[in-house]
Amino acid sequence: MELTKHEHACVRVEKNGKVLIIDPGTFSKGPVLDGADAVLITHEHWDHVDVDKLKAAPPTLEIYTCEGVAADLADVPQKVQVVRHGDAFEAAGFRVRAFGEWHAKNHPDVPVVQNVGFLVDDEIFYPGDALTVPGVDVPTLLVPTGGPWLKLGDMIGYLREIRPARAFSTHDGLYNDIGLGLVDSWLKMEAEHQSADIRRLAVGESATLS
């Protein structure tokens, strides 16, 4: 299985000729849905879902998401399937389990929206905009490293609670080069602390997972 980082919060997972895309939002440039068989969307914020991208995608594309996002996708040509915490399903040959219900608290005047994390093939866990602890083994964690709802101490605490064998940065599109350098330093320190592979993949960079 191969994982490829796209801009900000979007990743591509490939296995046996099948392609799964997670959170193709408006920060994700280029044809990120090319060749995609299925899409997982954690929540309704525009940096995680781009309705226009989905409208332009083939109608055979499978979409799995929470109820809040499904309501916004009423006009897309694809079938949208609602999933909730505790659900297990198959998406284009990938086994997926859903964990979590709510986005992390953000601005006090902004309502908290639904957010569902996805565990793919019991290998990759993508929590969306939350620090959801699934309560199962997580070999590869996609860890949010930036955002108005996230503090550095909470991110490090999350890595130490999950203790994955590998962790790669996500939700890092708000940083300039100086900020990305800080992310690299933080993750390097934590990799040494945990003796694990914890780092940021550059946009377009891939990692092969066992």
Side-chain angles (χ1 to χ4, degrees):
M1 186 160 52
E2 187 171 71
L3 171 74
T4 302
K5 176 76 165 67
H6 287 292
E7 291 89 352
H8 190 49
C10 179
V11 295
R12 179 185 184 97
V13 184
E14 300 181 63
K15 181 190 74 171
N16 298 332
K18 296 292 187 178
V19 176
L20 179 70
I21 305 293
I22 307 177
D23 279 7
T26 57
F27 287 3
S28 306
K29 307 302 180 184
V32 295
L33 292 179
D34 276 9
D37 298 289
V39 170
L40 308 179
I41 301 169
T42 60
H43 67 283
E44 64 193 61
H45 291 157
W46 48 269
D47 56 331
H48 292 258
V49 55
D50 185 331
V51 177
D52 290 336
K53 278 189 181 76
L54 296 173
K55 284 183 177 179
T60 54
L61 184 69
E62 302 174 17
I63 301 175
Y64 301 85
T65 189
C66 62
E67 188 174 0
V69 175
D72 293 335
L73 299 182
D75 294 332
V76 302
Q78 301 87 5
K79 180 181 178 182
V80 180
Q81 302 184 65
V82 172
V83 296
R84 299 173 178 84
H85 174 75
D87 286 349
F89 57 97
E90 184 172 302
F94 294 87
R95 292 175 290 106
V96 184
R97 288 194 280 169
F99 293 91
E101 299 179 89
W102 300 106
H103 191 288
K105 291 182 179 179
N106 204 335
H107 191 286
D109 297 335
V110 176
V112 175
V113 300
Q114 292 178 331
N115 180 98
V116 61
F118 297 105
L119 179 66
V120 179
D121 275 353
D122 292 325
E123 174 65 44
I124 301 167
F125 184 59
Y126 186 109
D129 281 11
L131 300 180
T132 301
V133 177
V136 298
D137 184 53
V138 175
T140 303
L141 176 66
L142 298 177
V143 59
T145 56
W149 52 273
L150 182 66
K151 294 190 297 184
L152 170 61
D154 292 340
M155 182 265 284
I156 296 299
Y158 186 53
L159 282 166
R160 293 184 181 183
E161 185 165 8
I162 299 294
R163 302 202 69 85
R166 291 167 296 279
F168 302 117
S169 170
T170 187
H171 213 272
D172 49 22
L174 301 180
Y175 287 114
N176 59 16
D177 288 342
I178 296 172
L180 291 174
L182 287 173
V183 170
D184 291 339
S185 295
W186 297 332
L187 296 183
K188 183 175 184 294
M189 290 172 59
E190 194 58 25
E192 293 171 353
H193 177 84
Q194 295 196 31
S195 299
D197 182 12
I198 301 175
R199 55 193 165 96
R200 179 177 63 90
L201 298 175
V203 173
E205 186 178 355
S206 299
T208 300
L209 309 177
S210 58

